[in-house]
Amino acid sequence: MNSVKRACGNCNLRELCLPFGLSNDELERVDEMVTTRRKIKQGEYLYRAGSAFESIYAIRSGFFKTDVLLEDGRDQVTGFQMGGELLGLDGISTELHTCNSVALENSEVCIIPFSRLETLSREIRTLQNHFHKVMSREIVRDHGVMMLLGTMRAEERLAAFLLNLSQRFTARGYSHADFYMRMTREEIGSYLGLKLETVSRAFSRLQEAGHIAVQQKHVRILNIAGLKALMNRQPA
Amino acid sequence: MNSVKRACGNCNLRELCLPFGLSNDELERVDEMVTTRRKIKQGEYLYRAGSAFESIYAIRSGFFKTDVLLEDGRDQVTGFQMGGELLGLDGISTELHTCNSVALENSEVCIIPFSRLETLSREIRTLQNHFHKVMSREIVRDHGVMMLLGTMRAEERLAAFLLNLSQRFTARGYSHADFYMRMTREEIGSYLGLKLETVSRAFSRLQEAGHIAVQQKHVRILNIAGLKALMNRQPA
DNA sequence: ATTACAGGTTGACCTGGATCAAACCAGACA
DNA sequence: TGTCTGGTTTGATCCAGGTCAACCTGTAAT
């Protein structure tokens, strides 16, 4: 943990993150709310299911996954998060975290005490509205995953996944067509409702079809249109 | 559409719905916000994907489903909603609805203009916090569905689904063990990521195992513990 | 009562992805 | 430089659920 001044004002993720669309004045007030950061090493937990919820977290750098697990040991990755995205929204409802959040690379988050966020968003309309939009966006994203898990075949799921990553990398100023994935095949599989072998085969088939070039975690997208077309194929 | 006075104060779903935990004073102010209701006949749309978002809706009576559809015609039921639950939260993010909402029986909703809800929740802390909890709960629910779609086998999915319905009916004062389902096998299948035939077979197998008694849409739960145990079985 | 029809059940067969098993590869470390 | 290890790829086989098809049931209209 370390405290900071001018957290948000200087952050280049500002426009992707919570302070989106705020005036300088308002930005300063948000800065007062976000006084501490926390570094999380690769493999460490940001929070665990069942622990008390007090804050949400904005990713300043790095990469995370969230997962839930059943009593019997089965688990499901519910999302991968990158810079500018918020973690911990699931904890608001019961004031307990309902999933685990693990850093997939060395990362840093800004700590946003939730009660202060509520106070401030009673005072700043723009902040309030934007926070609501962020929560709503998470719901929409989840519906997309449900769609994917409920109706798509393995290759379509992977195509959808890669397109989504690509688009999020683009929004952060990275190449849309050439990136390293931080997660393993098994984690991708868990997220997509597939086994790691199936994920691996799907990668191979997309490569054979000339849509992508893969080498371990390094992916290059060669034919975006092809991937998109794949997603909209009728099943069977 | 018809206007009403004392919408929430007289509503027996008050404690399940948005006004949860409000004082009488606050309740009156919420009443002023919720001035109109709307009846939707079975099969009619409350809203459609792509239409402008202006309000969220609280279900006063009846039963709904929401679904998203892909260009190619495939669709996925993303949820079933009953009295006291909110509809339309997905629309906040883009100010366009992202799914369709259809009444599965003759229903009535209270219209909650979203901008007024934001105004009021800047003034009433309890309302603000409760609204955040409701949104967060939706995210948690979605994670549950992702878990179900990603890791469970057909019978487990159906067991989880029935237990969830049972629990929600209980919260509304209906029998936890004896209810009519408003949705078809196909709709259940779409929600659970299964074909209707598989849903039908799963019903039959749960019945053979003595966990439930089914006759079309009428379900009786005979062995809750059995259903719960089923959900926590290791796959294969 | 008779018919029509949407929804539900059941059977037979097929297939995509799971499972099991054996290499393979790249980076870490001695 | 070799070897260890966690992750990945690939092959062979299996099976849960999909697909196709026939039939049943309850409701509602005539």
Side-chain angles (χ1 to χ4, degrees):
Chain A
M1 304 256 205
N2 56 344
S3 67
V4 280
K5 49 182 70 171
R6 294 249 58 195
C8 300
N10 298 329
C11 180
N12 60 349
L13 292 167
R14 192 169 61 244
E15 290 305 305
L16 287 167
C17 192
L18 205 52
F20 172 82
L22 298 188
S23 71
N24 279 339
D25 246 30
E26 293 165 340
L27 209 57
E28 263 177 52
R29 304 191 58 198
V30 172
D31 269 343
E32 285 164 34
M33 165 178 81
V34 184
T35 54
T36 49
R37 296 203 193 126
R38 188 173 144 200
K39 287 190 198 302
I40 297 96
K41 290 220 188 73
Q42 178 168 25
E44 285 180 359
Y45 285 79
L46 172 58
Y47 54 80
R48 286 170 190 269
S51 61
F53 166 81
E54 269 159 19
S55 305
I56 61 175
Y57 304 93
I59 301 176
R60 189 171 157 80
S61 68
F63 205 92
F64 287 81
K65 72 167 177 183
T66 47
D67 61 4
V68 240
L69 60 151
L70 249 46
E71 299 86 277
D72 58 28
R74 281 181 285 181
D75 76 340
Q76 167 84 17
V77 171
T78 52
F80 298 106
Q81 298 82 22
M82 55 180 82
E85 297 177 337
L86 295 184
L87 278 163
L89 298 175
D90 59 281
I92 300 170
S93 78
T94 56
E95 293 171 19
L96 293 175
H97 288 290
T98 61
C99 60
N100 302 300
S101 174
V102 185
L104 296 184
E105 62 181 17
N106 294 339
S107 303
E108 189 174 20
V109 297
C110 302
I111 300 179
I112 306 171
F114 187 63
S115 63
R116 293 229 239 157
L117 176 59
E118 285 196 327
T119 306
L120 206 55
S121 74
R122 263 179 271 122
E123 293 165 16
I124 306 178
R125 277 191 57 139
T126 331
L127 178 65
Q128 179 198 37
N129 184 247
H130 186 57
F131 177 61
H132 290 160
K133 286 188 174 176
V134 168
M135 291 208 89
S136 174
R137 193 190 304 153
E138 179 67 17
I139 292 171
V140 174
R141 186 194 73 84
D142 290 345
H143 289 175
V145 178
M146 286 165 61
M147 184 83 193
L148 180 149
L149 292 171
T151 72
M152 292 188 182
R153 346 241 293 12
E155 277 175 63
E156 298 178 279
R157 293 185 198 193
L158 186 58
F161 176 68
L162 292 173
L163 288 169
N164 174 266
L165 279 185
S166 160
Q167 178 242 304
R168 285 154 75 200
F169 282 127
T170 311
R172 282 155 187 80
Y174 302 113
S175 166
H176 70 287
D178 191 318
F179 48 83
Y180 281 89
M181 293 184 300
R182 273 69 176 184
M183 65 297 273
T184 67
R185 298 287 186 264
E186 184 165 28
E187 286 161 337
I188 298 172
S190 173
Y191 182 61
L192 299 179
L194 302 169
K195 294 288 145 178
L196 67 301
E197 294 95 327
T198 308
V199 173
S200 179
R201 282 184 237 274
F203 268 118
S204 302
R205 267 180 279 133
L206 291 186
Q207 175 156 310
E208 279 160 37
H211 293 130
I212 61 172
V214 215
Q215 202 177 12
Q216 316 283 109
K217 296 189 167 161
H218 179 206
V219 175
R220 275 178 305 133
I221 297 184
L222 305 175
N223 180 4
I224 295 212
L227 288 181
K228 283 185 183 156
L230 232 165
M231 277 180 53
N232 298 328
R233 277 296 138 266
Q234 206 64 281
Chain B
M1 302 255 206
N2 56 345
S3 68
V4 279
K5 51 181 67 172
R6 292 250 61 195
C8 300
N10 297 328
C11 181
N12 61 348
L13 292 168
R14 192 168 61 244
E15 291 304 304
L16 287 167
C17 192
L18 205 53
F20 172 81
L22 299 188
S23 71
N24 280 338
D25 247 28
E26 294 164 341
L27 208 57
E28 263 177 54
R29 303 191 58 197
V30 172
D31 270 343
E32 283 164 34
M33 164 179 82
V34 183
T35 54
T36 48
R37 296 202 193 128
R38 189 173 143 199
K39 287 190 198 303
I40 298 96
K41 290 221 189 73
Q42 178 167 27
E44 285 180 359
Y45 284 80
L46 172 58
Y47 55 78
R48 286 170 190 269
S51 61
F53 166 80
E54 269 159 18
S55 306
I56 61 175
Y57 304 92
I59 302 177
R60 189 170 158 80
S61 68
F63 206 92
F64 287 81
K65 72 166 177 184
T66 47
D67 62 4
V68 239
L69 60 151
L70 250 47
E71 300 85 277
D72 59 27
R74 280 182 285 180
D75 77 341
Q76 168 83 17
V77 171
T78 51
F80 298 105
Q81 297 82 20
M82 54 181 82
E85 297 177 337
L86 295 183
L87 278 163
L89 299 175
D90 59 282
I92 299 169
S93 79
T94 56
E95 292 171 19
L96 293 174
H97 288 289
T98 61
C99 61
N100 301 300
S101 174
V102 185
L104 296 183
E105 64 181 15
N106 294 340
S107 303
E108 190 174 20
V109 298
C110 301
I111 300 179
I112 306 173
F114 187 63
S115 63
R116 291 228 240 158
L117 175 59
E118 286 197 325
T119 306
L120 205 56
S121 73
R122 263 179 273 123
E123 293 164 15
I124 306 178
R125 277 190 58 137
T126 332
L127 178 65
Q128 179 198 36
N129 184 247
H130 186 59
F131 178 60
H132 290 160
K133 286 187 173 175
V134 168
M135 291 209 89
S136 173
R137 193 190 304 154
E138 179 67 16
I139 292 172
V140 174
R141 186 194 72 84
D142 290 346
H143 289 175
V145 177
M146 287 166 61
M147 182 86 197
L148 180 149
L149 291 171
T151 71
M152 292 189 184
R153 347 244 293 10
E155 277 174 65
E156 300 177 278
R157 294 185 198 192
L158 185 58
F161 176 67
L162 292 174
L163 288 169
N164 175 265
L165 279 186
S166 161
Q167 178 240 305
R168 285 154 75 200
F169 281 126
T170 311
R172 281 155 189 80
Y174 302 114
S175 166
H176 70 287
D178 191 318
F179 48 82
Y180 281 90
M181 292 185 300
R182 273 68 176 185
M183 65 296 274
T184 66
R185 297 288 186 264
E186 184 165 27
E187 286 161 338
I188 298 173
S190 173
Y191 183 61
L192 299 180
L194 303 168
K195 294 289 146 177
L196 67 298
E197 294 95 328
T198 307
V199 173
S200 180
R201 282 184 239 272
F203 269 118
S204 302
R205 267 180 279 133
L206 291 186
Q207 175 156 283
E208 279 160 37
H211 295 130
I212 60 172
V214 215
Q215 201 176 14
Q216 317 281 110
K217 295 187 168 163
H218 179 206
V219 175
R220 276 179 305 135
I221 296 184
L222 306 175
N223 179 3
I224 296 212
L227 287 181
K228 284 185 183 156
L230 232 166
M231 276 179 53
N232 298 328
R233 276 296 139 267
Q234 206 65 280

